[in-house]
């Protein structure tokens, strides 16, 4: 699969260069022909003195020079590889990795490809959990910085100015070594709330849900409840549009879902139950519940705290960009501060804020590679460990670059689609 993606990327790059080169040549001839056809040859300077023609020719020459430079660098690279006898194939992906990954059943005998996939899976978990948390934190802090409460405003300002001006790597190491790594060992783990939560410098565990034989039926019922709740949401919206009465979509939809879920729970005689995390007699092995390694918690916490400072400034500036007349209109309608932000200010501010927010999401994605500093086995850390097992560095670096490129492009595409939906369509 990875080999196929690399080949597809190479073919796409070559086709892109061919297309750009051909398009420049075609546009040059079309421009020259159209201008001379419209005005006549006697009214125009020769092609070699035409400003637009010279510009297109310069772009073609630059593109040719770039291709020559890339070909020269590639020739040097292949010559160096041949001199040291390195194989550029991807056959090593099927060889034993020789490494282990924390909280993963893989062993050193599993292939390299499985280890890489597991590492990238850990990276994706960090991104999927961290980006929503950073967005929520940044939005709340951005609003707090504009609060009329002096203490709240100063606390938010101090948080932003302190963390925003510290390198993110320092923040990650500080959260890990200064806080989470200082927790007691597993044998002396903290067990707050009667042992429902377990905290140690190794793992953090909290309750989960486990099911019995009827859990599959219960899941299907919950899925149907979501569909019914969506239908109720649509119905309440139609009522509001036609009559002007308060829709209360959230109350109606959530209430409908909870009602179906509770009735089905008792009808199926409790298909799910709470699973409490446990430690063995020696206090080392965790079982049941949901378990999280502390480096993961440290990485997500540090990235959320750091990225939240930048998001808060974007949100604050976007709120200030909303016309003051909109706020005054909300006050004239006797809206509370929460209602004013919920219905008037934030919907307009987010239209302004979302394009720069996409950049922060991309920064979060790339900053996750700094987990290598605290030993969390995400993609970059796993590939670095594979280097130590004498695996080929060139191919591994290329795979790592391809992963971050692909995921960044996916985030950009999703962000652009959302941004297009947020924009007001003019007439």
């Amino acid at each position: 699969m990875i080999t196929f993606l690399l080949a597809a990327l190479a073919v796409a790059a070559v086709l892109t260069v061919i297309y750009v080169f051909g398009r420049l040549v075609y546009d040059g001839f079309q421009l020259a022909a159209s201008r001379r056809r419209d005005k006549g040859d006697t009214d125009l300077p020769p092609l070699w003195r035409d400003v637009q023609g010279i510009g297109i020719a310069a772009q073609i020459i630059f593109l040719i020079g770039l291709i020559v430079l890339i070909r020269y660098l590639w020739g040097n690279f292949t010559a160096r590889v041949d001199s040291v006898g390195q194989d550029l194939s991807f056959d090593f992906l099927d060889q034993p990795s020789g490494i282990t990954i924390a909280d993963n059943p893989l062993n050193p005998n599993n292939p390299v490809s499985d280890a890489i996939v597991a590492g990238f899976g850990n990276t994706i978990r960090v991104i999927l959990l961290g980006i929503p948390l950073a967005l929520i934190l940044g939005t709340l802090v951005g609003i707090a910085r504009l609060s009329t409460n002096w203490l709240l405003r100063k606390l938010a300002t101090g948080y932003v100015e302190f963390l925003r001006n510290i390198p993110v790597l320092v923040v990650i190491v500080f959260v890990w070594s200064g806080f989470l790594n200082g927790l007691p060992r597993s044998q002396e783990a903290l067990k707050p709330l009667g042992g429902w939560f377990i905290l140690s410098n190794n793992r953090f565990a909290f309750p989960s849900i486990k099911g019995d034989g009827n859990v599959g039926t219960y899941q299907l019922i919950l899925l149907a409840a979501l569909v019914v709740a969506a239908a109720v949401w649509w119905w309440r919206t139609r009522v509001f549009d036609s009559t002007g009465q308060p829709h209360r979509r959230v109350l109606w939809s959530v209430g409908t879902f909870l009602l179906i879920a509770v009735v089905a729970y008792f009808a199926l005689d409790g298909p799910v139950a709470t699973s409490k995390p446990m430690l063995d007699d020696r206090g080392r092995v965790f079982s049941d519940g949901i378990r999280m390694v502390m480096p993961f918690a440290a990485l997500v916490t540090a990235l959320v705290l750091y990225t939240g400072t930048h998001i808060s400034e974007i949100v604050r500036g976007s709120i200030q960009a909303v016309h003051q007349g909109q706020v005054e209109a909300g006050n004239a309608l006797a809206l509370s501060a929460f209602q004013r932000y919920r219905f008037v200010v934030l919907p307009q501010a987010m239209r302004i804020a979302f394009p720069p927010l996409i950049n922060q999401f991309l920064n979060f994605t790339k900053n996750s590679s700094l987990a290598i500093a605290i030993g969390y086995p995400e993609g970059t850390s796993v590939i670095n460990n594979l280097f130590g097992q004498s695996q080929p560095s060139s191919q591994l670096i290329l795979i790592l670059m391809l992963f971050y490129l692909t995921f960044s492009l996916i985030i950009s595409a999703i962000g652009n689609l959302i941004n297009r939906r947020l924009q007001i369509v003019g007439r």
Side-chain angles (χ1 to χ4, degrees), residues 33-163:
S34 62
R35 294 187 66 190
R36 295 181 181 279
R37 183 172 56 251
D38 295 340
K39 297 184 177 180
D41 292 343
T42 58
D43 298 332
L44 293 174
L47 285 176
W48 58 86
R49 292 172 54 190
D50 189 291
V51 175
Q52 294 187 359
I54 293 174
I56 294 177
Q59 296 179 62
I60 295 175
I61 293 173
F62 174 80
L63 186 60
I64 294 175
L66 182 62
I67 295 173
V68 172
L69 177 62
I70 294 174
R71 180 67 184 86
Y72 172 75
L73 295 176
W74 176 254
N76 280 349
F77 173 73
T78 53
R80 175 61 179 169
V81 167
D82 292 339
S83 66
V84 298
Q86 181 179 344
D87 184 12
L88 290 180
S89 70
F90 289 87
D91 296 337
F92 72 95
L93 293 175
D94 297 324
Q95 299 176 1
S97 64
I99 64 173
T100 58
I101 299 177
D103 276 10
N104 194 290
L106 294 178
N107 58 63
N109 294 323
N110 289 108
V112 172
S113 58
D114 290 350
I116 294 176
V117 170
F120 289 153
N122 288 339
T123 301
I124 293 174
R125 291 187 186 95
V126 172
I127 295 170
L128 295 181
L129 177 62
I131 287 180
L133 292 178
L135 180 61
I136 294 172
L137 176 64
T139 302
L140 294 176
V141 174
I143 295 174
R145 291 207 63 187
L146 299 174
S147 173
T148 56
N149 185 297
W150 181 88
L151 180 60
L152 180 61
R153 185 173 66 252
K154 293 302 180 182
L155 288 175
T157 302
Y159 156 71
V160 170
E161 296 301 329
F162 178 74
L163 282 183

Side-chain angles (χ1 to χ4, degrees), residues 154-205:
K154 293 302 180 182
L155 288 175
T157 302
Y159 156 71
V160 170
E161 296 301 329
F162 178 74
L163 282 183
R164 190 179 58 165
N165 296 298
I166 298 177
V168 60
L169 179 59
V170 177
V171 178
I172 293 173
V173 174
F174 178 74
V175 171
W176 166 240
S177 61
F179 288 96
L180 300 184
N181 197 34
L183 292 171
R185 298 178 301 171
S186 296
Q187 295 86 339
E188 304 167 351
L190 301 177
K191 300 179 181 179
L193 300 179
W196 285 97
F197 294 86
I198 300 177
L199 289 170
S200 72
N201 62 357
N202 184 24
R203 282 175 174 81
F204 168 52

Side-chain angles (χ1 to χ4, degrees), residues 130-393:
I131 287 180
L133 292 178
L135 180 61
I136 294 172
L137 176 64
T139 302
L140 294 176
V141 174
I143 295 174
R145 291 207 63 187
L146 299 174
S147 173
T148 56
N149 185 297
W150 181 88
L151 180 60
L152 180 61
R153 185 173 66 252
K154 293 302 180 182
L155 288 175
T157 302
Y159 156 71
V160 170
E161 296 301 329
F162 178 74
L163 282 183
R164 190 179 58 165
N165 296 298
I166 298 177
V168 60
L169 179 59
V170 177
V171 178
I172 293 173
V173 174
F174 178 74
V175 171
W176 166 240
S177 61
F179 288 96
L180 300 184
N181 197 34
L183 292 171
R185 298 178 301 171
S186 296
Q187 295 86 339
E188 304 167 351
L190 301 177
K191 300 179 181 179
L193 300 179
W196 285 97
F197 294 86
I198 300 177
L199 289 170
S200 72
N201 62 357
N202 184 24
R203 282 175 174 81
F204 168 52
F206 50 94
S208 65
I209 301 297
K210 64 179 181 180
D212 58 14
N214 292 328
V215 67
T217 304
Y218 190 61
Q219 290 175 343
L220 292 176
I221 294 175
L222 291 182
L223 182 61
L226 283 176
V227 175
V228 175
V232 171
W233 181 287
W234 175 82
W235 166 61
R236 295 306 302 174
T237 302
R238 292 294 300 271
V239 170
F240 173 75
D241 293 338
S242 60
T243 65
Q245 298 177 358
H247 50 72
R248 296 187 175 89
R249 292 174 296 200
V250 175
L251 181 62
W252 277 84
S253 300
V254 174
T256 301
F257 177 81
L258 292 178
L259 178 63
I260 297 175
V262 170
V263 172
Y265 177 85
F266 288 104
L268 295 175
D269 196 21
V272 295
T274 304
S275 174
K276 183 179 179 180
M278 303 290 291
L279 283 169
D280 64 2
D281 296 337
R282 294 183 299 173
R284 293 182 179 181
V285 180
F286 285 74
S287 62
D288 296 332
I290 297 177
R291 301 174 298 279
M292 178 190 307
V293 292
M294 274 304 177
F296 173 82
L299 178 66
V300 172
T301 301
L303 290 180
V304 167
L305 290 175
Y306 178 80
T307 309
T309 61
H310 294 273
I311 292 178
S312 69
E313 290 299 276
I314 295 173
V315 172
R316 181 175 69 93
S318 301
I319 290 175
Q320 291 178 324
V322 176
H323 196 279
Q324 185 63 26
Q326 299 291 316
V327 179
E328 294 174 354
N331 292 332
L333 293 173
L335 298 180
S336 64
F338 174 79
Q339 291 174 325
R340 189 167 63 248
Y341 271 103
R342 166 67 178 83
F343 297 108
V344 180
V345 177
L346 283 181
Q348 299 181 69
M350 282 303 169
R351 292 191 178 101
I352 304 170
F354 203 80
L357 285 179
I358 298 175
N359 289 332
Q360 294 304 319
F361 300 157
L362 296 177
N363 289 336
F364 189 102
T365 300
K366 290 176 284 189
N367 286 338
S368 65
S369 62
L370 297 175
I372 191 174
I374 59 174
Y376 178 65
E378 50 78 49
T380 304
S381 179
V382 168
I383 286 183
N384 184 69
N385 290 336
L386 290 173
F387 290 162
Q389 301 299 321
S390 301
Q391 301 295 347
S393 59

